[in-house]
């Protein structure tokens, strides 16, 4: 869906795992790796499920599963398969571990989610269990930028907690897949919140039986 290469990103603020990750990171920083060209950098794609009134908090409690048809699940599997790793904050990782650790939740996604490399940004998580993740501490913006400079496929950011908010603010996120669900939550944490601004360019729209997915590129 996102085809054009993106320029490199330089972190303009210091964002550490202490202030983004508990939502938090393993015991070692991501190794510095050189890149042949800035334009060859991997992309970070944010994947966010929201209600029609913009609430993204706790999708399972909001009952999103009842709206997901097979076409939607296959589309999500295609994205999971196309990406080489997932980025998590601690809370999102723990929520996924609870759902997918047993291997019975969403069987179409479970095998890929269990196998895909994972990076968990946290200052408090000592070690991960589900999926044998790499726990990353330190400056989240700098560490994700280093990951983008490594060879490989794109990086998928699940959810939009403090980690996602920080990466979007610093323009480390390159694209956002926003899946809009047909209900009003009425309350809960908003994806569209004060202090979070960005210019977006709509590049794709997919309509499923009950869900519409908008894909945006993030302007620098």
């Amino acid at each position: 869906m996102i085809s054009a290469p993106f320029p490199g990103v330089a972190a303009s603020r210091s964002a550490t795992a202490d202030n983004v990750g508990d939502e938090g990171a393993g015991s070692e920083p991501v190794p510095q790796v050189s890149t042949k060209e800035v334009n060859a950098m991997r992309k970070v794609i944010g994947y966010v499920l929201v209600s029609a009134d913009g609430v993204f908090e706790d999708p399972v409690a909001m009952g999103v599963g009842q709206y997901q048809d097979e076409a939607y699940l296959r589309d999500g599997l295609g994205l999971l398969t196309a990406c080489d790793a997932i980025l998590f904050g601690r809370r999102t990782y723990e929520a996924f571990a609870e759902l997918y650790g047993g291997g019975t939740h969403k069987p179409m996604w479970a095998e890929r989610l269990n196998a895909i490399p994972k990076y968990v940004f946290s200052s408090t998580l000592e070690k991960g269990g589900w999926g044998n993740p790499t726990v990353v501490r330190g400056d989240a913006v700098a560490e994700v930028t280093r990951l983008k400079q490594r060879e490989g496929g794109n990086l998928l950011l699940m959810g939009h907690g403090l980690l996602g908010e920080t990466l979007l603010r610093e323009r480390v996120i390159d694209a956002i897949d926003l899946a809009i669900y047909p209900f009003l939550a009425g309350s809960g944490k908003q994806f569209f919140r004060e202090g979070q601004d960005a210019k977006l360019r709509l590049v794709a729209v997919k309509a499923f039986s009950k869900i519409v997915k908008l894909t945006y590129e993030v302007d620098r």
Side-chain angles (χ1 to χ4, degrees), residues 90-163:
R90 179 182 61 82
R91 292 177 186 171
T92 305
Y93 168 76
E94 289 177 344
F96 270 71
E98 184 176 350
L99 285 172
Y100 291 96
T104 58
H105 185 73
K106 284 193 180 67
M108 190 182 295
W109 289 5
E111 182 177 357
R112 178 57 178 162
L113 278 169
N114 286 324
I116 191 171
K118 304 166 185 65
Y119 295 90
V120 183
F121 291 78
S122 176
S123 59
T124 59
L125 187 66
E126 293 300 323
K127 63 178 181 178
W130 170 66
N132 192 28
T134 299
V135 184
V136 185
R137 290 184 169 81
D139 186 323
V141 172
E143 300 299 345
V144 173
T145 301
R146 290 189 186 107
L147 280 173
K148 291 178 69 172
Q149 293 169 345
R150 300 176 69 172
E151 292 185 2
N154 293 334
L155 305 167
L156 185 61
L157 172 64
M158 286 294 197
H160 196 72
L162 292 175
L163 176 62

Side-chain angles (χ1 to χ4, degrees), residues 45-61:
I45 301 170
Y47 190 74
V48 189
L49 315 184
V50 298
S51 63
D53 55 346
V55 175
F56 76 92
E57 190 175 28
D58 201 351
V60 174

Side-chain angles (χ1 to χ4, degrees), residues 29-34 146 149-150:
V30 176
Q32 179 83 45
V33 185
S34 62
R146 290 189 186 107
Q149 293 169 345
R150 300 176 69 172

